[in-house]
Amino acid sequence: MSESRPTPLDFPDSPLAQAVKQPLMLGLFLPTQTGGFSQSTYPRDTDWSFEYNARLTLAAEAHGFDFVFSLQQWVQKGGFGGEAHYRENFLDPFITTVALSSLTRRIITISTVNVLYGNLHPLYLARFAATADHIAQGRFGLNIVTGYDAKEPLMFGMDRLDHDARYDRASEFSHIMETLWEGEDNLDFSGRFYQLQQAYISPRPRYGRPIMVSASASPAGFAYAAKHSDIVFTSSPAGAIFEQAITALPAHTQAIREAYQAEGKTPKIILFPLIICCPTREEAFARRDAIVAQADVESIAAYTARHKGGDAHGWKQHIPADRVLGGHIQIVGDPQDVVTALKQLHAAGIDGVQIGFYDYEPELAYFAQAVLPLLQAEGLRI
């Protein structure tokens, strides 16, 4: 069993406790990098800039979304290349989400942080995150990742640890932060990876600790998440095509729940769908086909090569063509089609979705206008 420490879910008035009251939590996966999540040159106005992402976040909050999420990745000059220089510009997710939290009043902001790169120390991140938690008034979350790519650690002058060893180190890192956030006394700690003498941070986070998230798709990842995370951000084990994913997800989400049950806990599981929604099914599929027809083939090839050099357990069944639209799964159709798909995801054990769009601003507005009322009618949103 894991150590019993207070989490945001133990406080009925915490932003996370309010968010999980929704039958299906809604999040927005922000395009804080060039090209967002879709490798196509079909025209759009999606932009990586802070100003653009601030507009999206404020709109998502106004529409009642529960959280926004920001990605972390380290790429070389030119990003993944191609006509659009995919992911060449990349806002730091920690700084971005903290800044967004100061512009908003209700929505949760979640930052992805790789805790194993460079000389990042748990004492530093514990103070950074506690400060972010106060700026956000309890609406700040850390998505802890360990890095699957073979090249990223080289940028930091490091070799990549083995897959499961990375989670061992991340678990020690998170344990130290949790002890510091609890703040019962100065901390002396001598572990396998970290040593601290008389370490302390103050003030305490507002609701026990910041919200903790884990992006996981492996048994080692699920075990880490069960010890440390409120939310598991997972991927489809059967690729991005919805009809294939929906058959594989129940067993996948059950494996996550069993890992949490071993720790006496219950997870909240979220997934990333890329949604193409239009007034009619025919329009939605025509839009999808137009986006796919202008695939940025060069950047897709570069991204695929990078992924093959990694050791991630997620996305094993994803194929290069999935990258044109992006997303862990893809939902295409009219508003009722989208609601039906989200309802199926919920039945398959998914507690929330962080949605991506191709052209974010107008498509988010249309989703709010056409889909949200139907989700409420179906009882998926309160």
Side-chain angles (χ1 to χ4, degrees), residues 79-99:
F80 291 97
E83 186 177 332
H85 299 281
Y86 184 62
R87 294 191 175 175
E88 179 175 29
N89 292 306
F90 214 116
L91 295 180
D92 178 76
F94 192 103
I95 295 173
T96 299
T97 49
V98 173

Side-chain angles (χ1 to χ4, degrees), residues 9 15-25 66 231 268:
L9 289 172
L16 182 60
Q18 296 303 309
V20 301
K21 290 180 181 178
Q22 291 288 352
L24 184 72
M25 293 185 290
D66 303 298
I231 297 171
K268 294 298 178 182

Side-chain angles (χ1 to χ4, degrees), residues 45-232:
D45 291 324
T46 294
D47 184 36
W48 60 267
S49 71
F50 180 78
E51 293 79 7
Y52 183 85
N53 282 278
R55 291 203 306 272
L56 291 178
T57 301
L58 290 168
E61 182 173 64
H63 296 318
F65 277 52
D66 303 298
F67 60 90
V68 292
F69 206 102
S70 189
L71 177 73
Q72 179 66 290
Q73 195 172 46
W74 299 92
V75 293
Q76 296 174 345
K77 182 179 179 180
F80 291 97
E83 186 177 332
H85 299 281
Y86 184 62
R87 294 191 175 175
E88 179 175 29
N89 292 306
F90 214 116
L91 295 180
D92 178 76
F94 192 103
I95 295 173
T96 299
T97 49
V98 173
L100 290 172
S101 72
S102 70
L103 301 177
T104 53
R105 293 292 176 267
R106 185 194 58 79
I107 201 165
I108 292 167
T109 64
I110 300 173
S111 168
T112 301
V113 178
N114 190 314
V115 297
L116 304 187
Y117 288 169
N119 295 316
L120 183 62
H121 193 278
L123 182 62
Y124 267 125
L125 188 57
R127 172 171 279 178
F128 292 165
T131 303
D133 177 84
H134 277 265
I135 294 170
Q137 299 180 331
R139 295 180 291 115
F140 180 76
L142 282 174
N143 173 40
I144 300 296
V145 297
T146 62
Y148 74 92
D149 181 63
K151 292 182 178 179
E152 282 189 347
L154 300 178
M155 295 187 183
F156 294 88
M158 304 174 66
D159 293 324
R160 184 181 63 185
L161 291 174
D162 290 340
H163 180 276
D164 289 6
R166 296 200 301 271
Y167 278 108
D168 291 340
R169 183 167 178 172
S171 186
E172 186 170 298
F173 193 112
S174 294
H175 166 80
I176 292 168
M177 289 198 299
E178 291 159 359
T179 306
L180 290 166
W181 288 328
E182 193 172 30
E184 289 190 356
D185 203 347
N186 295 330
L187 175 62
D188 288 325
F189 182 87
S190 180
R192 178 181 171 191
F193 303 101
Y194 302 100
Q195 290 75 42
L196 298 83
Q197 293 184 24
Q198 296 293 288
Y200 188 77
I201 65 163
S202 183
R204 309 269 69 71
R206 292 174 68 106
Y207 299 104
R209 59 161 171 72
I211 298 163
M212 293 288 278
V213 183
S214 175
S216 305
S218 67
F222 299 159
Y224 164 85
K227 288 182 173 67
H228 302 288
S229 302
D230 307 299
I231 297 171
V232 178

